Amino acid sequence: MTCDEAEILLHALMDGELDAGHAREVEEHIAGCAACAAQLAAYREMSQAIAAADMKYTAPLALRRRIEASLPQGQTRAPSRRAVLRGFAMGSAVSAIAAPGLVAIVLRNDASIRRLFRRICVRCRPGI
Amino acid sequence: MPVNATHDDPERARRFREAALPHLDDVYTLARYLLRDATDAEDAVQECYLRALKHFDGYRGPAMKPWLFAILRNVCRAEFARRASSPTGAIEDVPEGAEQTPLWNEAQETPEAQMLRTRDAATVRRLVSALAEPFRETFVLREINNLSYREIADAVGAPVGTVMSRLARARAMLRSAWMAEEEQPR
């Protein structure tokens, strides 16, 4: 293996992208080539420094909410007749069931209510 | 964007939300590095998610993140077209002479330990943002978004070999810029 080949392949080596056979070839070259060994060490250090620096951005909450709102479930719209009835039934159920444990069971068992609950919770707690 | 009846399906929206929203920070990160503008990045990400939802029925995997990145790239292309009069150029733009830039143009004898003093994130972000395309994109997908070479190839529509050589170039350019930074008096 030449140094020109190793210059490209050492990146694949450090990224764990080489199969065992090719990895061994590159490692053998590096073992006998101080220049390529130094390159590999330098790139590994740079990669670690980048991993240590916080390079990611966090999506702004407003953007997250805009995207949520653009999804069918997240849209604010006039509730359908069925949704109103369901809401009424749930309201009655919730007022009838005083024990929090039972409410939790209801919430756990109904995915749509759980989602609704989650949305409400998110709105109540800015920063989440 | 109007959403047709099929796209209004709450169950479909739920599946989309669970599959796509966990990657929002990664998509936004890529948008920030590609567009180098916070407002443009937000607009691009929102458009990306709208398009992704629209095409979600056609999504067959294998991985959601590279798929979202591929959509984001297309959105960014439109943004670059809009900026056509601006010298920042398009995503595939390679600055003149970039292909002639030697891989290693720093002194071999420079002590490696000195090269990599701890840098604050802002400095490293600036150096990465200064990389030319398409090297910046490949670098961000690998080092920041942690995609495999295959996933990067899928996201950018290039062979794995091209990804490898771009990544090698990107790291070489970053290393040179990093060393130049170190040599400047603080």
Side-chain angles (χ1 to χ4, degrees), chain B residues 30-149:
Chain B
L30 180 61
R32 284 293 299 263
Y33 282 105
L34 289 183
L35 295 170
R36 298 192 277 212
D37 180 275
T39 308
D40 287 350
E42 280 197 44
D43 291 346
V45 171
Q46 187 167 4
E47 176 63 21
C48 168
Y49 271 79
L50 283 172
R51 288 192 198 180
L53 175 65
K54 193 176 168 189
H55 298 289
F56 189 49
D57 291 333
Y59 168 69
R60 294 288 179 271
M64 173 57 66
K65 206 154 75 166
W67 185 68
L68 288 172
F69 287 162
I71 295 172
L72 180 73
R73 288 183 88 247
N74 287 333
V75 174
C76 289
R77 276 174 194 276
E79 172 59 21
F80 286 126
R82 194 185 66 77
R83 290 179 183 177
S85 58
S86 148
T88 42
I91 197 163
E92 293 294 352
D93 272 4
V94 177
E96 221 163 293
E99 291 301 329
Q100 284 75 49
T101 307
L103 265 178
W104 319 115
N105 57 2
E106 70 283 351
Q108 290 278 331
E109 66 272 18
T110 304
E112 303 298 347
Q114 281 182 13
M115 184 193 93
L116 295 159
R117 288 182 204 137
T118 306
R119 279 281 167 199
D120 60 283
T123 305
V124 184
R125 281 182 184 185
R126 179 169 53 76
L127 294 177
V128 171
S129 294
L131 290 175
E133 285 297 2
F135 309 107
R136 180 172 73 242
E137 173 185 63
T138 309
F139 183 86
V140 170
L141 287 171
R142 173 62 216 161
E143 293 278 12
I144 302 173
N145 290 123
N146 299 317
L147 259 56
S148 70
Y149 288 8

